[in-house]
Amino acid sequence: MDSLYQYLGYPAQANDDSGTSRDNLWLYGVGTFVVLWTLGWLYRDSLEIEDIKEKYVFVTGCDSGFGNLLCKRLDRRGFRVIAGCLTDKGADDLKRATGPYLKTVLLDVTSTASIQKAMEYTKQEVGDNGLWGIVNNAGRSLPMGPSEWMRLEDYTSTLKVNMTGVIEMTLTFLPLIKQAQGRIVNVASVLGRVAANGGGYCISKFAVESFSDCLRRDIHYFGIKVCIIEPGFFKTAVTSLDPIERELHRLWNQLTPEVKASYGDKYLDKYIQIQRLIMNAVCDSDLSKVTNCMEHALVSSYPRTRYSAGWDAKLGWIPLSYMPSCVIDVGLKLVMPRPAKSV
């Protein structure tokens, strides 16, 4: 560094003034590097692929919510969209709201036969172009609640959609994606970074994160990009209060008298009140914050590995996921009600 300073006209043995000048020069250099790096990153992030109108994208879970909005956006951009819908009504409503190039197919991601049928239909549609992108968006959240209240089938019903469904869809459609050297976009959650409640949802989203990371490292040799979407809390069917409360009552009613007594008669009402408070406080109604991330993962020349959607994700859940486990444990302990027979 002394040689560099001498070259720039600063003496090797600096007095106080020259020492200050050296410090300023160092700060200017670091600042310039940060600014140039940021500008370069923003430019690289803004670059988009070409020939969008020739590219096919398959989206699951398109009856409502993120998938439904994403299909409409991609259709307007010119993509050839194939939308997987669970119901005839969802498919019909989506077709009426979009252009002639959007196709729908009935899809149940828990059924191997249904997935295979959708793949065969897609294979005929895309032909030699292959499949540019698949967005594994279909999911379910319920039941959620204290882990002790769950039965095995309560876990598996969620895991079959959110975990097994994502894996089977990806593996089944992978040959078509390899053909196009395309994109795999898997929808996880901030609750795949911080396990905040019991049930299969958090478990399944942690699994999606892990599966996506392994898949990305395994298949990048083929030119395929794997992206993970990590939404915060948004106002969709997944966060609707009425189904959440119905499921909590169902879980409570299936408990034995001994387990109910350990929690106390007022625990369920307190638990529901806290769920209402959290959902009303943090749920964002702007679903485009999530679909913007999905769209960027499909159109960007250099898609990101992870997208955090929503301010609660960026400023709360994601930073929290890097903190020691004891911080999260204490935080949840302060928020959640205490059972009657807690120690």
Side-chain angles (χ1 to χ4, degrees), residues 31-91:
T32 301
F33 173 79
V34 170
V35 170
L36 291 176
W37 184 90
T38 302
L39 292 174
W41 183 89
L42 290 173
Y43 172 73
R44 186 175 185 269
D45 196 57
S46 67
L47 297 176
E48 294 188 352
I49 60 173
E50 299 177 350
D51 302 323
I52 284 179
K53 293 184 178 181
E54 298 176 6
K55 297 189 183 301
Y56 290 80
V57 177
F58 192 104
V59 185
T60 70
C62 301
D63 296 73
S64 62
F66 302 135
N68 188 278
L69 179 59
L70 177 64
C71 286
K72 295 173 182 177
R73 291 175 63 110
L74 295 180
D75 180 63
R76 287 196 294 269
R77 296 243 5 204
F79 277 101
R80 301 298 181 97
V81 181
I82 304 173
C85 298
L86 184 61
T87 65
D88 289 311
K89 182 180 184 304

Side-chain angles (χ1 to χ4, degrees), residues 210-250:
S210 177
F211 171 68
S212 301
D213 282 337
C214 294
L215 183 68
R216 182 182 67 254
R217 292 158 186 157
D218 289 338
I219 65 174
H220 75 277
Y221 303 102
F222 303 106
I224 300 172
K225 304 290 195 303
V226 180
C227 306
I228 305 170
I229 312 295
E230 299 172 332
F233 281 51
F234 287 85
K235 290 183 179 179
T236 65
V238 169
T239 56
S240 178
L241 282 171
D242 288 341
I244 291 174
E245 293 179 15
R246 282 199 301 270
E247 281 297 298
L248 286 170
H249 279 285
R250 181 186 68 80

Side-chain angles (χ1 to χ4, degrees), residues 171-206:
L171 296 180
T172 302
F173 282 77
L174 188 55
L176 298 179
I177 299 167
K178 286 178 70 175
Q179 186 178 348
Q181 296 183 354
R183 309 284 168 83
I184 298 171
V185 183
N186 291 332
V187 180
S189 169
V190 292
L191 296 183
R193 302 285 290 268
V194 178
N197 48 36
Y201 188 78
C202 291
I203 297 171
S204 67
K205 295 306 181 180
F206 269 84

